[in-house]
Amino acid sequence: MKRRVIYGAVAAVLSLNLLVGAWVFHASARTAEKDSPYPSLELFSTVLERVRKDYVDGQKTTYQDLVYGALKGMINTLDPHSEFMEPEKFHELQNDTQGVFGGLGIVVSMKDNFVTVVAPMDESPGFKAGIMTGDRIIKIDGKSTEKMGLTEAVKNLRGEADTMIKLTVLRPSTTEVKEFNLKRSVINIDMVKDINGKKEFPLGENKIGYVRLVQFGEKTGDELEKALRTLKSQGMQGLVLDLRWNPGGLLEQAVAVCEKFLPRRQLVVTTEGRNPAQNSERKANGHDELNNMPIAVLVNLGSASASEIVAGCLQDLKRAVVVGERSFGKGSVQSILPLPDGSALRLTTAKYYTPSHKVIHEEGITPDITVPMTDEEERDIQLQRAPGGVESLPEKDRQRVLNAHDLQLERATDLLKGINLFTQRAPLPEKRVAKSEKAVETVKP
């Protein structure tokens, strides 16, 4: 009797599983039919051939032109950071990560549907002209950017050295519209600089060091290593790591920077995407070269992407105090997929998360200590530190720039001074075990 009951129950369970499996299979099949690629590909090929055959301007209807245009349109519908890159654009991207590129030296992104300046790079034509973080580029050579998209905007901003370009810019903080006539140039960028915009790295008062990371290119980690070595040789006791106006760059270089301040195997950042292959953990592969020396990290609206990874990691792990203003909030992963004809696909495939699993994208990094600065104050500080920046100004503006105070840097420096002062004056903990050791000794024969 018991066997019959058991066999009956097993049969019922198996039948139920079979029914559920059949339902899941049919549901999946119906979904697949609804999203089958074949009808859509047939539609695409029909339109492609019709345009190629009948469009009035035949010189615009090569297969490559039409397919490239279709790919750009498709990728542009996804998000502001994904794009299809023609061979020339892909080559420019490769040059950017190597620290050499042509154009205006303006890093842009899409924000609130506007082509927005993330940060002008040091010594670039855009920087010298006065273009600032947050500026919205509304026209390029008189052509509106409203329907241009990021890819086309960047292509129009690029060009041969010594060619002219006219930008119309809206500054949201003042609602002022400005026009800039700029000359493109080839720019070589040092990824790591000292407080004077050079690579000498003098030690400041109270033995506080200062290092500014301009961008996360292929040489950033190595250049930072040399800077830290120079500062440590002078007896550095605290470090200000300036990530302001740093638009980001390579993920592996963000990890390379973090691991110089962290113990081996410490989690730096995780990436999570729709495809499990995009999920990863990046851990430190070095050691804390500063031996737990206090660090302050400076960020502002111009700090994006890899900058936010570094700031978020060191903040999460209590390895540094973050000072300044909330960062840009660009925390998505773009994978570069080279294609057979020399073009490439830059596709958003994942998002970055700090060690405590805080999302960076569209949230940014909130400082531990907020120190706001006006646009004019930031502009003056950038000019003050740029080689030739003060000399390029009219006489009436020079004194103002020379007397400008970097409130964020001053706050960070005072913080490090206070930490060192407290550490030096704090009494040593009592050796409570001494009495026990003494008591043990008295009972020894």
Side-chain angles (χ1 to χ4, degrees), residues 26-265:
H26 287 299
S28 300
R30 287 194 300 270
T31 302
E33 288 175 3
K34 290 180 180 178
D35 197 30
S36 173
Y38 301 110
S40 297
L41 288 174
E42 183 179 356
L43 174 64
F44 177 79
S45 62
T46 299
V47 173
L48 177 70
E49 290 300 332
R50 191 60 179 263
V51 171
R52 178 167 168 75
K53 179 182 177 182
D54 294 339
Y55 184 67
V56 63
D57 293 326
Q59 70 273 17
K60 297 180 181 179
T61 60
T62 66
Y63 280 117
Q64 186 183 69
D65 287 340
L66 293 176
V67 171
Y68 274 15
L71 290 173
K72 290 176 184 177
M74 175 176 66
I75 301 304
N76 283 345
T77 64
L78 300 177
D79 69 80
H81 308 295
S82 296
E83 64 175 318
F84 171 76
M85 295 179 284
E86 296 182 14
E88 182 181 357
K89 171 65 178 174
F90 182 36
H91 181 67
E92 290 175 355
L93 175 68
Q94 292 171 310
N95 288 339
D96 285 355
T97 60
Q98 294 168 0
V100 181
F101 64 95
L104 300 177
I106 301 172
V107 179
V108 297
S109 182
M110 293 298 292
K111 191 165 188 178
D112 300 328
N113 296 319
F114 289 96
V115 179
T116 303
V117 177
V118 176
M121 296 179 179
D122 285 1
E123 304 173 48
S124 68
F127 173 81
K128 292 177 181 178
I131 293 176
M132 301 177 64
T133 294
D135 282 353
R136 295 173 175 175
I137 300 175
I138 55 178
K139 290 183 181 179
I140 300 175
D141 282 333
K143 184 179 179 181
S144 172
T145 61
E146 184 178 358
K147 298 181 180 179
M148 192 175 287
L150 184 62
T151 303
E152 187 179 353
V154 171
K155 183 176 180 180
N156 289 331
L157 290 170
R158 299 279 184 170
E160 295 294 328
D162 297 324
T163 59
M164 298 300 295
I165 183 172
K166 181 179 179 180
L167 298 186
T168 305
V169 168
L170 169 66
R171 185 156 295 164
S173 59
T174 62
T175 67
E176 184 179 7
V177 175
K178 292 174 170 282
E179 290 191 347
F180 297 90
N181 291 297
L182 305 173
K183 181 185 287 188
R184 298 182 180 94
S185 68
V186 175
I187 303 166
N188 293 281
I189 292 183
D190 288 324
M191 300 296 173
V192 180
K193 295 185 178 183
D194 64 21
I195 197 166
N196 300 312
K198 301 179 181 179
K199 298 184 72 66
E200 298 171 355
F201 302 102
L203 199 61
E205 295 181 7
N206 299 93
K207 298 186 177 180
I208 303 299
Y210 173 93
V211 173
R212 182 179 173 214
L213 304 189
V214 177
Q215 192 177 352
F216 287 85
E218 292 179 354
K219 302 175 183 177
T220 301
D222 292 338
E223 291 186 19
L224 176 60
E225 178 80 26
K226 295 176 183 177
L228 294 177
R229 195 180 304 134
T230 299
L231 289 166
K232 287 192 293 184
S233 69
Q234 302 173 66
M236 177 173 64
Q237 295 182 2
L239 174 68
V240 175
L241 186 65
D242 195 344
L243 300 178
R244 295 175 297 177
W245 305 289
N246 183 323
L250 301 175
L251 171 61
E252 57 264 29
Q253 289 300 312
V255 176
V257 168
C258 287
E259 67 184 12
K260 299 189 185 306
F261 310 118
L262 300 173
R264 187 177 177 83
R265 305 301 299 165

Side-chain angles (χ1 to χ4, degrees), residues 215-366:
Q215 192 177 352
F216 287 85
E218 292 179 354
K219 302 175 183 177
T220 301
D222 292 338
E223 291 186 19
L224 176 60
E225 178 80 26
K226 295 176 183 177
L228 294 177
R229 195 180 304 134
T230 299
L231 289 166
K232 287 192 293 184
S233 69
Q234 302 173 66
M236 177 173 64
Q237 295 182 2
L239 174 68
V240 175
L241 186 65
D242 195 344
L243 300 178
R244 295 175 297 177
W245 305 289
N246 183 323
L250 301 175
L251 171 61
E252 57 264 29
Q253 289 300 312
V255 176
V257 168
C258 287
E259 67 184 12
K260 299 189 185 306
F261 310 118
L262 300 173
R264 187 177 177 83
R265 305 301 299 165
Q266 172 63 59
L267 179 64
V268 174
V269 63
T270 59
T271 61
E272 297 179 14
R274 178 182 175 189
N275 185 341
Q278 296 295 330
N279 298 345
S280 67
E281 290 185 346
R282 304 298 180 100
K283 295 183 179 182
N285 196 31
H287 65 280
D288 186 352
E289 298 187 14
L290 299 189
N291 195 26
N292 213 35
M293 184 185 299
I295 302 172
V297 176
L298 296 179
V299 297
N300 65 3
L301 184 62
S303 307
S305 189
S307 297
E308 296 174 291
I309 291 174
V310 173
C313 170
L314 299 181
Q315 181 187 56
D316 256 15
L317 300 174
K318 311 298 183 186
R319 184 61 188 89
V321 178
V322 178
V323 180
E325 297 177 275
R326 186 174 173 176
S327 61
F328 191 82
K330 195 276 181 184
S332 55
V333 182
Q334 280 71 50
S335 298
I336 306 299
L337 309 173
L339 300 173
D341 67 342
S343 61
L345 179 63
R346 175 157 57 184
L347 187 66
T348 299
T349 54
K351 292 182 180 179
Y352 295 124
Y353 293 84
T354 67
S356 68
H357 206 258
K358 289 190 297 189
V359 66
I360 295 173
H361 196 58
E362 297 182 348
E363 297 293 333
I365 301 300
T366 301

